[in-house]
Amino acid sequence: MRCSCCQQEVVKNVTLRELFFNTSQRCYHCEKRFSKINSKTACPGCGRPDSPKLCGDCQLWEAQLGFVLNNQGIFRYDEGFQRWIESYKFKGDYRVRGGIAKELKEALKKYSDYLICPLPLSKERFRERGFNQVCGCLESADCFYIELLERKDLSPQSEKSRAKRLKMEQPFALKVENRKIRNQRVLLVDDVYTTGRTLFHGAEILYKNGAKTVKSLTFSR
């Protein structure tokens, strides 16, 4: 059995179910590097760790757009998560998509009445990478999702400074008929919450087309 993060052999006694069905087993060394965010002490708007009140950034978003995302971040962006996301997203190792499946599946339980919508990649980025990293993780967590949005061909967010991200134009368009989201609760899912601009753009499109509630979940904050 291999670690779902580093792909090294995991030396332990495993059940048949773990051996054949579990894709989220992390080895001892990888496990130690991950740090979960305590939602009780995180910002209720963006999920910033150790910020139990609405942070300054979220207050600005609320004043500007009239809403906050109630984002939940699962992990801190520390050594363990950074190593995993670099291997998975930037080096394209699709084998490690199950590295956070256990925690992701647990986090999604509270959104059972939501439409789960991964943020889309541009066509160019999808061709380069060969997969949507968010969809891969949702599939590893046995989560049904629906692609409500499509992305315009703009330059990737990872190549932009924080200031440029905040000023970016609307990168999304609705992919489905708006009747499918009218009066629905939608959960946007992305890998990392940095400035929140991309998620807010997604939420704006959904609200304009009749969504009742839009929240977000990110693998890391």
Side-chain angles (χ1 to χ4, degrees):
M1 185 173 183
R2 292 186 178 276
C3 170
S4 55
C5 288
C6 67
Q7 290 297 300
Q8 298 298 310
E9 289 286 346
V10 177
V11 181
K12 59 169 282 191
N13 293 324
V14 296
T15 64
L16 286 175
R17 180 174 179 81
E18 287 178 318
L19 183 62
F20 291 106
F21 300 105
N22 188 8
T23 61
S24 61
Q25 181 66 52
R26 293 193 293 266
C27 70
Y28 173 74
H29 298 290
C30 287
E31 189 69 33
K32 287 198 304 181
R33 296 188 182 107
F34 279 78
S35 299
K36 290 188 68 176
I37 294 174
N38 183 350
S39 60
K40 294 181 180 179
T41 59
C43 171
C46 65
R48 184 196 302 271
D50 309 318
S51 180
K53 296 182 179 180
L54 201 65
C55 71
D57 286 349
C58 286
Q59 291 178 39
L60 291 174
W61 283 123
E62 188 173 35
Q64 180 180 343
L65 300 176
F67 66 93
V68 294
L69 280 170
N70 301 120
N71 180 70
Q72 178 185 352
I74 301 175
F75 293 103
R76 294 173 183 263
Y77 196 86
D78 55 12
E79 181 188 9
F81 185 88
Q82 188 173 4
R83 285 189 179 189
W84 171 76
I85 198 68
E86 181 180 355
S87 177
Y88 176 45
K89 179 179 178 180
F90 298 111
K91 294 183 179 179
D93 190 348
Y94 194 65
R95 298 173 299 170
V96 304
R97 66 192 182 283
I100 62 168
K102 180 180 177 181
E103 292 82 3
L104 178 57
K105 194 169 188 174
E106 183 64 28
L108 287 166
K109 287 181 179 178
K110 63 189 286 189
Y111 303 103
S112 59
D113 59 340
Y114 280 68
L115 298 177
I116 308 300
C117 174
L119 285 190
L121 300 179
S122 67
K123 293 178 182 179
E124 181 180 2
R125 179 60 73 191
F126 186 85
R127 283 194 299 268
E128 290 175 357
R129 190 171 298 153
F131 60 91
N132 181 316
Q133 73 278 2
V134 177
C135 293
C137 289
L138 289 173
E139 289 164 10
S140 75
D142 299 318
C143 173
F144 174 79
Y145 62 85
I146 179 170
E147 297 178 85
L148 302 173
L149 303 172
E150 58 185 0
R151 189 157 190 148
K152 303 172 186 176
D153 291 323
L154 304 175
S155 58
Q157 289 301 287
S158 59
E159 299 175 2
K160 294 181 178 180
S161 66
R162 178 181 175 86
K164 288 184 178 179
R165 290 186 189 201
L166 290 171
K167 294 179 180 178
M168 68 180 282
E169 62 184 280
Q170 173 60 260
F172 301 119
L174 196 65
K175 189 176 181 178
V176 300
E177 295 179 10
N178 58 12
R179 62 181 176 82
K180 292 188 177 182
I181 62 170
R182 194 174 297 127
N183 297 320
Q184 297 289 324
R185 293 182 173 90
V186 181
L187 180 72
L188 291 172
V189 184
D190 201 8
D191 50 7
V192 180
Y193 186 113
T194 306
T195 64
R197 178 68 269 189
T198 306
L199 287 163
F200 273 102
H201 272 313
E204 286 180 290
I205 288 287
L206 294 170
Y207 275 130
K208 286 179 181 178
N209 284 276
K212 179 179 180 181
T213 301
V214 181
K215 294 185 179 182
S216 64
L217 174 72
T218 54
F219 305 155
S220 180
R221 172 69 174 93

